[in-house]
Amino acid sequence: MPTLCPVSLPAVCPHLVSSSPMSAGLNLAQLQAVHYTDGPCLVLAGAGSGKTRVITHKIAHMIDAGLPAKRIAAITFTNKAAAEMRERAKGLIGRAAKDVLICTFHALGVRMMREDGKVLGLKPQFSILDADDVTGILKDAGGSVDVATARQWQWAISAWKNQGLNAAQALAQAADDNERITATVMAHYEERLTAYQSVDFDDLISLPLKLLREHPEVRAKWQQALGHVLVDEYQDTNATQYEVLKYLVGERAHFTAVGDDDQSIYRFRGARPEIMLQIPKDFPQLKQVILKQNYRCTGEIVEKSQNVIRWNDARYEKQLFTENDKGKLIEIRTFENESEETTWLLKQIQKDLAEGCPHKEIAILFRTNHNCRMTVERLMEYNIPFTMRDVLPNLYEHWLAKNMVAYMRLAMGGRERKDFLAVMN
């Protein structure tokens, strides 16, 4: 089991504590992470240990030390996380936050391709295809009318792209006839994307990597533009994103990776938490800091979660602690069926409400969105007010909205083939 070597922390760090008023409230490990800016830094941030606080304070510290805000990039995993970080940075450093590049890997990829995609034959006004657009083009490329087959091709091609493979490389390593057929479809799909001047979601990572790897002048431009790169939720990155990061930071390697291998849940989308284990090998000069104190959870939750996660293989060994109260014991219950489970759940919620617990302090988590239907129906039946998160699809991804947008784009002089087909069909 690999062990992360913690930075030695002196009993008192007056030079750290007093160097900036914005450092107030940071613990010693957080201060170490914030103030190290001379090279690569891996911050292993346990759950609830204040990782976003570290990132925003590090941005403030670097600006305070003289690095222009526009030369700092903070890369997050989701648009929601980027928006939250932008707000927190604004609250800490004010107007300077607007000049910091805070975005997702994919948003950064869009920016890079808009500026430099011409060297790959891509016009600045290229279009970005959504999942349904991709399915339609794959059906055309593979000569199939079966949506399920096209979806299977789509998932396989996405996985290959996340591994940094193109159609020729995928075909060369195909293990069976199905993979060879999919790789052939991928080649036809690539041809259509080029003809349509379009990219898909995965291209927003793979094409910037191609830019940086094959065009030294583009690589030099972006390395000069970005004086320090911070990456949040690093355990959710895939191999292609890691390669993009390495090219962006170059030999100087001024970057900060913040994450926790114990919190990686996106392997099905290509994330590889093992990449965190690879960083010390690729960057021997790496500074390593562990954030062990949990500020969010009760002692009971911290203790039980540690007992579960410590059995994982291929992880950094660490032991979180908290100064919070022990809290209520965790209950584990099993039920015969969904109806019995939902009945118990609703009675428990009614009991909590009767005892004075506010509605907003009760949360129900589901593994997937479709599992919530019975619970939603019973909440309505019991007249219990609730809100739902991340269930309704994006309005603009509804087929009606997409067709309306296609009409509008054509009416404004657009000439994209996918818009023409949407209208004609």
Side-chain angles (χ1 to χ4, degrees):
M1 180 180 293
T3 301
L4 184 66
C5 301
V7 175
S8 58
L9 296 175
V12 180
C13 298
H15 63 291
L16 292 181
V17 176
S18 62
S19 60
S20 170
M22 287 181 289
S23 296
L26 299 178
N27 64 37
L28 294 180
Q30 291 172 333
L31 284 169
Q32 286 280 352
V34 166
H35 285 260
Y36 183 75
T37 58
D38 295 332
C41 180
L42 174 61
V43 182
L44 199 65
S49 61
K51 65 179 181 61
T52 305
R53 182 179 177 85
V54 165
I55 293 175
T56 53
H57 276 73
K58 189 159 190 172
I59 291 172
H61 171 70
M62 288 188 290
I63 293 174
D64 192 46
L67 183 64
K70 65 181 181 181
R71 297 197 62 216
I72 300 173
I75 303 175
T76 66
F77 192 64
T78 65
N79 289 323
K80 182 178 180 181
E84 178 188 351
M85 187 176 296
R86 196 173 293 110
E87 284 302 307
R88 292 180 66 168
K90 182 179 178 181
L92 187 64
I93 58 180
R95 296 180 61 184
K98 67 179 178 61
D99 294 325
V100 180
L101 178 59
I102 302 177
C103 62
T104 64
F105 262 110
H106 293 88
L108 176 62
V110 172
R111 180 167 177 167
M112 294 176 66
M113 297 305 298
R114 297 286 187 208
E115 291 188 22
D116 298 301
K118 56 184 177 294
V119 302
L120 298 179
L122 203 60
K123 297 178 181 178
Q125 62 271 26
F126 65 84
S127 60
I128 302 171
L129 305 177
D130 63 20
D132 290 339
D133 293 330
V134 172
T135 303
I137 295 175
L138 284 173
K139 286 167 63 179
D140 179 44
S144 172
V145 296
D146 183 40
V147 174
T149 299
R151 293 288 191 196
Q152 292 288 342
W153 291 336
Q154 191 170 344
W155 296 330
I157 291 171
S158 177
W160 281 334
K161 286 189 176 185
N162 282 324
Q163 296 172 36
L165 304 178
N166 57 30
Q169 293 166 327
L171 182 60
Q173 69 171 39
D176 53 40
D177 287 342
N178 283 336
E179 289 192 1
R180 281 187 281 273
I181 291 172
T182 305
T184 302
V185 172
M186 184 178 179
H188 297 320
Y189 173 62
E190 289 177 348
E191 292 171 357
R192 282 161 173 76
L193 290 186
T194 300
Y196 302 160
Q197 284 290 296
S198 299
V199 300
D200 61 27
F201 200 58
D202 298 309
D203 288 331
L204 299 179
I205 305 298
S206 60
L207 290 179
L209 175 58
K210 184 180 177 70
L211 263 180
L212 295 169
R213 177 187 289 154
E214 299 180 4
H215 298 275
E217 71 285 358
V218 175
R219 184 167 66 245
K221 167 191 169 180
W222 284 95
Q223 288 178 359
Q224 176 60 32
L226 302 179
H228 198 99
V229 179
L230 303 100
V231 183
D232 189 18
E233 302 291 6
Y234 200 80
Q235 74 277 357
D236 294 328
T237 58
N238 59 39
T240 308
Q241 290 167 332
Y242 182 44
E243 290 300 309
V244 169
L245 174 66
K246 288 197 289 186
Y247 279 112
L248 282 176
V249 301
E251 294 183 2
R252 188 175 52 171
H254 282 192
F255 73 88
T256 302
V258 183
D260 182 7
D261 50 328
D262 289 339
Q263 297 183 60
S264 180
I265 60 173
Y266 290 106
R267 182 177 288 273
F268 70 96
R269 291 207 309 221
R272 290 292 179 266
E274 311 91 73
I275 291 175
M276 295 189 72
L277 303 176
Q278 183 64 34
I279 297 178
K281 300 174 184 177
D282 292 340
F283 300 93
Q285 74 276 37
L286 185 74
K287 176 75 76 175
Q288 302 172 340
V289 182
I290 310 176
L291 305 184
K292 296 181 180 180
Q293 184 170 358
N294 180 296
Y295 294 94
R296 180 188 304 151
C297 304
T298 62
E300 168 73 1
I301 292 176
V302 171
E303 178 186 344
K304 294 300 187 292
S305 63
Q306 290 287 291
N307 289 342
V308 171
I309 203 66
R310 66 188 178 90
W311 298 102
N312 274 18
D313 295 327
R315 63 181 288 265
Y316 287 114
E317 186 176 354
K318 49 196 171 294
Q319 186 68 38
L320 301 187
F321 72 94
T322 184
E323 295 178 354
N324 296 335
D325 294 336
K326 179 73 173 177
K328 294 182 179 179
L329 295 178
I330 297 173
E331 295 183 42
I332 299 177
R333 294 179 177 268
T334 58
F335 303 91
E336 290 293 328
N337 51 53
E338 185 180 4
S339 178
E340 182 183 319
E341 177 187 30
T342 306
T343 298
W344 178 88
L345 184 65
L346 268 293
K347 288 182 178 179
Q348 184 63 42
I349 290 174
Q350 286 183 315
K351 178 176 178 291
D352 291 339
L353 292 173
E355 293 176 353
C357 181
H359 287 77
K360 66 180 181 180
E361 292 186 9
I362 299 175
I364 307 172
L365 305 182
F366 298 92
R367 185 172 182 271
T368 60
N369 287 335
H370 74 268
N371 292 130
C372 72
R373 180 166 181 171
M374 181 178 290
T375 302
V376 168
E377 291 175 350
R378 298 291 285 277
L379 285 168
M380 295 171 68
E381 178 185 337
Y382 280 67
N383 200 29
I384 297 175
F386 64 93
T387 59
M388 299 179 68
R389 303 267 182 95
D390 304 326
V391 174
L392 295 176
N394 186 331
L395 171 64
Y396 297 103
E397 291 181 2
H398 193 286
W399 67 270
L400 282 172
K402 290 173 66 174
N403 282 354
M404 291 172 63
V405 171
Y407 271 100
M408 288 188 287
R409 278 200 289 247
L410 288 178
M412 295 173 65
R415 300 177 62 85
E416 292 192 26
R417 186 171 184 266
K418 67 183 181 70
D419 291 334
F420 175 75
L421 292 176
V423 171
M424 291 301 295
N425 289 331

